[in-house]
Amino acid sequence: MSFKIRINQIRRKITHSITKNIGSSYSEPKVGALNKSDIKRVLIIRPNHRLGNQLLLTPIVQEVINTFPDCKIDLFVKGGVAFPVFENYKAINKIIQLPRKPFSNLFKYAKAWISIKQEKYDLVINGDKNSSSGRLLTNLADASIKVFGDINEEIQQKYSDYQHISKYPVYNLRHYLTKIGFPENESEVPLLDIKINDSELSKGKKILEDIIKNDKKTICIYTNATGDKCYSEDWWLTFYTRLQKEFPDYNIIEMLPIENISKINFKAPNFYSKDIREMGAIIKNTSIFIAADNGVMHLASASLTPTVGFFSVTNENIYAPYGNRSIALNTNKTDIEDWFKAIKNIL
C-alpha cells in the first residue's frame, strides 16, 4: 500500500470521527407538515470527481424528479464530469463545481461552499453516507428537509441490495419521506442513465458502422482499469481468445482508454473518444459491454446496455452494474466457464 493511500485512509478516519455526529441535533419536520407540492428546490451533494461516482448519482436524481416532478435540482459536485453526465436532465438547475485540487484553488473552493449557505432549499440530500464533507455541507445548507444519509437498520433488513452505492440513497430518501407522512414508494430503484437522445444514438451508430463495416451484432470490451482492479494482459488475452471462439457470429471491438493502451495488444478493431456522451452512444449500439469495475463500466450501464462487470478487489455488492440483464462476476469465486455461461444468457 502506497504512502499516499495510507495518508488518505488516515485522513478519512479522522474526518469521519469528527463529522459522524453532525446532523444528530437536526429536528425533522412533523408528520403532515409538508406536501409534495412544497418541494420546489432540491440540492443533492456528491463532492467526488470520478466519472463512476457521478454516474452512480443518476438514480437518486431520477428518484427526486419522479417524486417531485415540478422541482429544480442543484448538484454540488467536484470536477467537471457532471456537466456531460446530466446534460439531458431538464430538471437540473445548476451544477456547483468544486475544483479537483482545492489547495490550488482555495478561493474557488471557498466560494462554492459559501454559495450553499446563500441559497434556500426545500430539500437537501447527502448522496454518499460515507462522505464527511457531504454531511458538513448538508448541515450547512438552509433547507426545510435534510437527509444526511445515516445508516438505517430498517433499510438493511428490508432490502438485500441496500449496500449498493446507487440504491442506498434512494432507499434512504424513501424511508425518510415515509417517516414524515409521505406514502411509501416500493417501485424499482431507477437505473443509471445518462439519457442518450436519438441524435446521439444515431451518431454513435454511424461511428460503430465505420469501425465494424458489416451487419453483425457487436460485443464491446474495455480492458483497462485503475490499480489492482486491472487484470493482466495474459488474463485478457485468454478471455479475448475464448470470446472469439464462443461468438464467431459477433464483431468484437475494444474501447481504448485515454492512455491508448490495450491489454490484448490491439488485436481487435478499436476506437477512442474523449466525449463520454459519444462513448455512451457507441456502447448503446452494441449488444453487450464487458469490463472490469471502473468508470467506463458504469458508463455502459448508464447507456442502458447489458453490462458484464468483473470484480476482484472491489465489492460487487456496492458497485455492481444492474438492470438491462447486467451482471457482476467476482473472479475470485467464479471461473471462465461461469463467465461465458453468464454472457451467453445475456446474448
Side-chain angles (χ1 to χ4, degrees):
M1 186 184 296
S2 70
F3 176 75
K4 183 177 179 181
I5 292 174
R6 287 180 181 177
I7 291 296
N8 283 333
Q9 287 180 342
I10 293 170
R11 176 185 58 79
R12 281 193 292 267
K13 285 181 179 179
I14 292 172
T15 53
H16 178 71
S17 65
I18 294 171
T19 61
K20 65 180 180 180
N21 292 320
I22 286 177
S24 58
S25 60
Y26 168 67
S27 298
E28 295 177 357
K30 294 180 180 179
V31 174
L34 289 165
N35 299 310
K36 281 191 177 183
S37 58
D38 296 325
I39 309 299
K40 299 292 187 183
R41 296 207 61 200
V42 180
L43 173 67
I44 301 176
I45 299 167
R46 186 69 171 92
N48 187 291
H49 71 276
R50 294 185 179 277
L51 171 62
N53 284 308
Q54 296 306 315
L55 292 163
L56 289 160
L57 192 64
T58 58
I60 185 62
V61 172
Q62 293 173 79
E63 178 72 12
V64 170
I65 294 169
N66 294 340
T67 307
F68 310 108
D70 297 325
C71 76
K72 289 295 181 182
I73 301 171
D74 289 355
L75 299 178
F76 190 100
V77 298
K78 183 182 287 187
V81 75
F83 290 91
V85 167
F86 293 98
E87 183 176 306
N88 288 345
Y89 277 76
K90 294 180 180 179
I92 299 297
N93 176 53
K94 66 179 176 180
I95 295 174
I96 304 163
Q97 178 188 355
L98 282 176
R100 285 186 58 177
K101 297 180 179 180
F103 292 107
S104 300
N105 301 273
L106 286 175
F107 177 77
K108 187 177 180 182
Y109 192 86
K111 185 179 178 181
W113 275 70
I114 292 169
S115 70
I116 295 299
K117 193 64 177 175
Q118 294 173 336
E119 300 284 351
K120 177 70 174 74
Y121 294 100
D122 302 306
L123 169 65
V124 58
I125 300 168
N126 177 20
D128 179 7
K129 62 181 182 292
N130 296 315
S131 171
S132 298
S133 56
R135 294 186 68 85
L136 284 167
L137 284 159
T138 302
N139 193 59
L140 178 68
D142 183 2
S144 305
I145 304 176
K146 297 185 179 185
V147 182
F148 286 88
D150 296 306
I151 296 172
N152 184 280
E153 288 187 11
E154 191 173 331
I155 294 173
Q156 294 175 340
Q157 293 172 2
K158 187 173 183 179
Y159 302 104
S160 60
D161 56 354
Y162 77 92
Q163 290 186 55
H164 198 283
I165 195 169
S166 279
K167 296 182 179 182
Y168 185 86
V170 174
Y171 291 142
N172 196 42
L173 175 63
R174 291 178 179 180
H175 177 76
Y176 184 91
L177 292 177
T178 58
K179 285 172 61 181
I180 61 172
F182 284 70
E184 187 171 5
N185 183 354
E186 294 187 335
S187 61
E188 292 292 324
V189 172
L191 305 179
L192 276 68
D193 192 355
I194 59 169
K195 297 187 180 297
I196 295 170
N197 61 34
D198 291 343
S199 174
E200 292 170 325
L201 191 62
S202 179
K203 182 182 176 183
K205 182 179 180 182
K206 177 65 169 60
I207 294 171
L208 180 61
E209 288 173 345
D210 289 343
I211 298 168
I212 58 176
K213 296 179 172 62
N214 62 52
D215 295 328
K216 295 195 297 184
K217 293 180 178 179
T218 300
I219 296 169
C220 185
I221 62 175
Y222 183 83
T223 63
N224 195 46
T226 55
D228 294 341
K229 293 190 290 184
C230 192
Y231 292 87
S232 68
E233 285 192 5
D234 287 343
W235 190 96
W236 273 110
L237 282 168
T238 299
F239 180 82
Y240 174 65
T241 302
R242 178 70 178 269
L243 203 61
Q244 290 178 301
K245 179 182 176 182
E246 294 285 350
F247 303 104
D249 296 329
Y250 283 79
N251 301 300
I252 302 171
I253 65 170
E254 181 181 12
M255 176 178 283
L256 298 176
I258 193 171
E259 297 87 356
N260 193 37
I261 57 176
S262 167
K263 294 293 183 180
I264 58 169
N265 296 318
F266 303 97
K267 292 182 180 293
N270 55 69
F271 70 98
Y272 164 74
S273 174
K274 290 183 178 180
D275 185 335
I276 67 167
R277 299 201 65 84
E278 183 177 80
M279 292 162 65
I282 296 168
I283 294 169
K284 178 64 176 172
N285 281 281
T286 65
S287 297
I288 191 172
F289 184 88
I290 304 170
D293 173 29
N294 60 68
V296 182
M297 179 199 76
H298 294 303
L299 177 61
S301 181
S303 75
L304 306 182
T305 299
T307 302
V308 174
F310 288 121
F311 289 74
S312 59
V313 295
T314 46
N315 187 340
E316 66 271 22
N317 293 321
I318 299 176
Y319 298 106
Y322 67 95
N324 301 300
R325 294 172 289 131
S326 296
I327 189 171
L329 295 168
N330 187 320
T331 55
N332 299 318
K333 300 176 182 177
T334 57
D335 59 26
I336 196 167
E337 302 304 324
D338 298 315
W339 312 338
F340 278 90
K341 181 180 179 180
I343 294 169
K344 287 176 181 177
N345 286 339
I346 293 172
L347 293 174

